[in-house]
Amino acid sequence: PPGRSAAPRDFSTLDASGSTSQAAAIAEALEVGATALLFDEDTCATNFMIRDDRMRRLVADDREPITPLVDRVAHLAKAHGVASVLVVGGTGDFFKVADAVLVMDTFQPRDATAAAKKLAQDDALAPKPPPPRYFRHRAPAANFEPRGRVQTRALRTFQYGDNNDVDLAALAQLVELGQTRAIAAALAVLARRHTRQHLAAMLDDLDRRLDAADLDLLAPANGGLAGDLARPRKLELAAAFNRLRSAVFSQLP
């Protein structure tokens, strides 16, 4: 379709499906060093989370472009130290790969790991080989300085230049307007120091500079005070960067 790349490894779209959005969100988090992923079944894309045995027999894995999380979650933990916590109630597919299974029984947690592992013994699914990589580092391909005003309108949206609103509606970790102000200011600071560093390195460098100078680093260029800012984590800053429509990235080898 117009606006979409045909090559799965170079796919881009402005109206991604739930599974594509979830896969991209995980890759973005891993790219900047996330070590824990939280999943709530109610807000996840089912076809990204699991593929049951009947579906795999109907549509072979080599004909399905989506590799479900159940095939990768154990390798993420063992090879990369990335833990996953899942809240599920409609599928037992994760029993075989889970390190621990807790059941909420009349509002009390109960260890059900042994029972879940016993139920999973007859699971016909063979383990999948790990992928060569989960993401490729990306660097800004061009200057992303704002063309116009930078201002924060609400907790989960800010303006980064003229006609360029950044939508953070899905970023539940934001709880204080000062975090959003700081994110907008940090993007402008990063833009002024635009280098060919990859995104994770840029954010690590910013973290070190904030440790040294505190939030005064993000103070307005006209010498104003940074008293209305609250320091965000680099994960929230990365999420905002990845939602900045004016930013163009290139993948590094």
Side-chain angles (χ1 to χ4, degrees), residues 101-113:
V101 178
L102 300 178
V103 169
M104 292 300 293
D105 188 352
T106 59
F107 301 101
Q108 295 294 320
R110 171 170 56 84
D111 187 351
T113 305

Side-chain angles (χ1 to χ4, degrees), residues 149-150 185 188-189 192 216-229:
R149 296 185 62 184
V150 175
V189 167
R192 291 196 293 270
D216 288 338
L217 178 71
L218 308 180
N222 61 10
L225 299 177
D228 60 349
L229 304 181

Side-chain angles (χ1 to χ4, degrees), residues 204-216:
D204 285 340
D205 180 59
L206 180 66
D207 256 356
R208 288 190 291 269
R209 293 167 63 204
L210 283 170
D211 287 341
D214 211 341
L215 289 169
D216 288 338

Side-chain angles (χ1 to χ4, degrees), residues 5-156:
S5 167
R9 292 184 181 277
D10 187 30
F11 176 82
S12 63
T13 177
L14 296 180
D15 54 348
S17 67
S19 55
T20 302
S21 297
Q22 192 170 350
I26 291 173
E28 290 166 1
L30 296 177
E31 182 182 15
V32 293
T35 57
L37 303 172
L38 308 180
F39 300 92
D40 185 340
E41 180 183 63
D42 290 346
T43 56
C44 290
T46 301
N47 63 326
F48 174 78
M49 299 293 284
I50 60 172
R51 290 186 74 226
D52 66 18
D53 187 47
R54 291 187 183 92
M55 185 58 73
R56 290 174 192 260
R57 281 182 281 169
L58 179 66
V59 181
D61 285 351
D62 62 0
R63 306 302 300 168
E64 169 55 59
I66 298 174
T67 301
L69 179 69
V70 70
D71 289 351
R72 297 291 187 239
V73 66
H75 182 258
L76 277 171
K78 294 173 183 175
H80 299 279
V82 179
S84 297
V85 178
L86 297 91
V87 178
V88 296
T91 178
D93 287 41
F94 287 93
F95 289 171
K96 189 169 185 177
V97 297
D99 293 313
V101 178
L102 300 178
V103 169
M104 292 300 293
D105 188 352
T106 59
F107 301 101
Q108 295 294 320
R110 171 170 56 84
D111 187 351
T113 305
K117 292 296 185 184
K118 186 175 181 180
L119 290 171
Q121 286 177 352
D122 296 331
D123 195 338
L125 298 180
K128 301 294 180 184
R133 65 177 82 185
Y134 286 97
F135 64 88
R136 291 175 62 182
H137 278 297
R138 300 166 300 142
N143 190 293
F144 54 93
E145 286 197 63
R147 293 186 176 91
R149 296 185 62 184
V150 175
Q151 59 181 349
T152 302
R153 297 175 175 175
L155 178 62
R156 291 192 170 89

